Amino acid sequence: MSGDKCFDILNKIFEPKNPQRIEDIKGYSIKYGNIVENQNIIDEVLVSYFKSPKSYTTEDMCEINSHGGNVIVKRILELCLKNGATLASPGEFTKRAFLNGRIDLLQAESVIDIINAKSQKEADAGMKQLEGFLSQKIKEIKQDILDVMVNIEVSIDYPEYDVEEVTYNEISKMLEKVEKKLKTLEKSFDSGKILKEGIKTAIIGKPNAGKSSLLNAILKENRAIVTEYEGTTRDTIEEFVNINGIPLKLIDTAGIRKSSDEVEKIGIEKSLKIAKEAQLIIAIFDSTKELSNEDIKILELIKDKKSIIILNKIDLKPIIDEKNPQLKQFSNSIIKISALKNIGIEELYDEITKLFGLNEINLDNEVIITNVRQKDLITKAIQELEKTKETIKNKMSIDIISIFIKNILEDLASITGESVSEDIIDEIFSKFCLGK
Ligand code: GDP
């Protein structure tokens, strides 16, 4: 419970073994006792006390730790409600933390990112944001712009000094600096999007090349962190796997599985459809056989895509290898594996991380944007900046330029939530789960 009545409500339902006046209980302490209704003990509990302003929401807060199970928890919840509490809406705790000024909007959004993270790196990026690294970056950029504004105000206030020429130059220079910083942030979204959504990956190859064996090798190793998602069409399944902390979203894994024990194997046509959707194609070939016409058709599919060629079954007697000129024409990444014996799978993972520049993501000294709302506002700020540069080039009056610059500031302020409409705030927090 959070809010100024929370201790009153608690006192009505909680009997500590060692009663104390609420004023004498220190924040960050835990008391042991019973939750009681009409002298009946509902459960034996521990209650944690947090006193304003030192709590998640900055309000007075308490947390009741009961025995688990639906019945007990529901009874305690109902008891709280009966005594004056109201049920929190999704995200309300974090929303209060934001509205009460303990965290900004960027940090609030990172809470949901951390909760929903599908990979370690995504969670790390969220944690960085919760610590305030992105907020700090945006603050820095805003300060740069405010410095520009100061320059402008001077020439508006003292038009008799002929400072305009100097001002134009200086504003331009400062805006360049700001633009560079904003563009770096915008660019980080390329990696951020991958961390958040996963790399859409297709495994294609002729029947019997070893698609389902490779899938199994990948899934077996990552079994604990595989999540199944309904694909876009009824019978496709997409699965998330974590590769070196980066999520791969494997497309049509159901199709691959099915193909191994059914007469109808994945044909070229289906491969074409899957390949079109994918950001990464893993094309797998049987290294114990010469390349067939069908193989060449598969190679054609990967021509203009990020792709890795896999030569499978190297535990047998391979007759083609990575030096094969036909293969080299189609992809720079050729890896030899045995899906059955689990050889070369690590090399495949390393190649994927390399291909997407993901081993360069260093979360220690880099801020990565993973959130579309934030990215869109940064893009908008960059567009405003371009317009501003245009007004300077056209030697528009300083007053007009200052209006454009204020627009940039506004976009930045909505990123951190200093100026943002109530609708947007409601929308952001509605994505949270209850009780967060
Ligand atoms: P798919 O039709 O492309 O999905 O191919 P499968 O994964 O079903 O494999 C076809 C056959 O090749 C199966 O009998 C597998 O056991 C076998 N196979 C797959 N990978 C290897 C490998 O690396 N080494 C060996 N020796 N056999 C393999």
Side-chain angles (χ1 to χ4, degrees), residues 223 229 352 403 414 430:
R223 195 165 26 192
Y229 284 79
I352 295 172
I403 294 172
S414 23
S430 68

Side-chain angles (χ1 to χ4, degrees), residues 204-205 267-276 281 283 294-305 307 330:
I204 62 171
I268 293 287
E269 217 167 284
K270 182 111 188 253
S271 299
L272 180 68
K273 201 172 137 262
I274 299 169
K276 256 201 193 130
I281 303 176
E294 250 185 324
D295 285 325
I296 301 296
K297 277 189 199 150
I298 286 171
L299 284 167
E300 294 283 348
L301 290 181
I302 66 171
K303 214 161 46 185
D304 304 315
K305 287 263 192 176
S307 62
F330 291 98

Side-chain angles (χ1 to χ4, degrees), residues 206-213 260 312-313 315-316 338-340:
K206 253 185 4 187
N208 284 327
K211 294 179 295 295
S212 92
S213 305
S260 57
N312 190 28
K313 310 196 189 180
D315 55 304
L316 300 175
S338 163
L340 204 65

